[in-house]
Amino acid sequence: MTKVNEVFVAGGQPTVTYIARAHLKLTNAVSDYLNTLYKILSISGTTKSGKTVLVRSIASPENAIWLSGGNIDSIGSFWESIVEHLNAFSQTTETQSDTRSGTSSDEIDLAIKPAGMGLGKKLADGKSWANTDSTTRGRNVSAAVSGLRALMASKIPLVIDDFHYIDQATQGQIIKALKQPVFDGLPVILISVPHRAFDAVRVEREMTGRVQQLEVPIWSPTDLREIASAGFKALGISASDELTNRLTSECFQSPHLMQDFCGALCRENGLTISQSTPISLKPPASWEEFFKKQASGTAKTAFDQLKIGPRQRTDRIERKLRSGGTCDIYKAILLAIAQTGPKQTLSYEEIRTALKDILDGAPPQANEVTRVLDQMSTIARKDRSGEPVVDWDSQFSKLHVSDPFFAYYLKWGAQSQAD
């Protein structure tokens, strides 16, 4: 018997439902890089689009060094992680020895010679000797030196997941430190979200031409349906096209959410293990309730953190909603983002238009909106252990809803927040 949670693996490394999307030749691209080297491979794609699963299928943690950008807060912690992974030594000792040796002998005259005449006998006693003087000196080696030595000795791939989560100053120090090792053939793979794919070049201009880009496209409905098809078949379950298409339409192109939905629908039908006799899945009594139920386990905490803002204040202006009730600017902006669908990339003008749609009255001033978007981006980077759910790019006046879980919550969970 096979368990449902062994087939539909949301957040882990799936086997039965791992879809390589062979038509995109992504696996070939990663393998080709590992066979050619001498560049950094930057892999980008939307959050939970399968970037990590793709790389792990080729460079598993047993055969590569995996670091998480969320755990790197300085160049020091980067090298310390390398040292820890490779069990490198942080101290070296040197011993010098000086050995001297020789032979000494003594003679003893045993003869009896009356008046100086007669037979004589001499006994010789020989001894060998050796003296050794040794001096041992030790010195501490920095994590950067020992880590770099260990990296070049191993030549196994270095993978930094969520590279965009590292602050730019530290990114720059890491890329500068890896520039020569990459030139000498060290495989380095960086994984990030699309709008941060060129961070390695942005922080170190000399890397121009030495960073190879591989974009992991969003999942097509056809590819997402393959997850359901492979999993249901392995469990002895059949599902109509209408049912599978509904799941596909709500997962924001995320294989992670598709895995989640398929497992949840099996449990909704009372199925937890594979079936010896084929059985057909039934749709839930209410799709709306089904999707709202899944939303409660996605990104509510992130929504609440952004809604509160950098700190709770009692002097924020309360604004009237067209749907009834009031809210401050932080909640209003979140509801405005949700109003767009939500789209996963929005311009400032789109956000302002959505604010006009949901507020009963004049929208906030432009500087107020951009200030809050900047604050939300800071909170998302600081308070979340994974990828930030939103990222405001002030240079291009674009808001990126980076996490499909957050986008999903905005659609299905934020409705109750508007009440």
Side-chain angles (χ1 to χ4, degrees), residues 154-165:
S154 69
K155 285 290 184 74
I156 62 175
L158 170 63
V159 183
I160 306 180
D161 204 356
D162 296 341
F163 182 69
H164 58 276
Y165 206 68

Side-chain angles (χ1 to χ4, degrees), residues 132-144:
T132 301
D133 295 323
S134 63
T135 303
T136 300
R137 294 180 299 178
R139 64 186 178 90
N140 292 325
V141 178
S142 69

Side-chain angles (χ1 to χ4, degrees), residues 79 82-83 143-153 177-178 180-181 186:
W79 285 119
I82 298 290
V83 169
V145 171
S146 59
L148 183 57
R149 286 176 180 171
L151 271 178
M152 296 311 297
L178 293 176
Q180 186 61 45
L186 178 70

Side-chain angles (χ1 to χ4, degrees), residues 118-136:
L119 299 173
K121 183 179 181 181
K122 291 184 178 181
L123 180 63
D125 182 22
K127 296 180 180 179
S128 297
W129 58 271
N131 291 325
T132 301
D133 295 323
S134 63
T135 303
T136 300

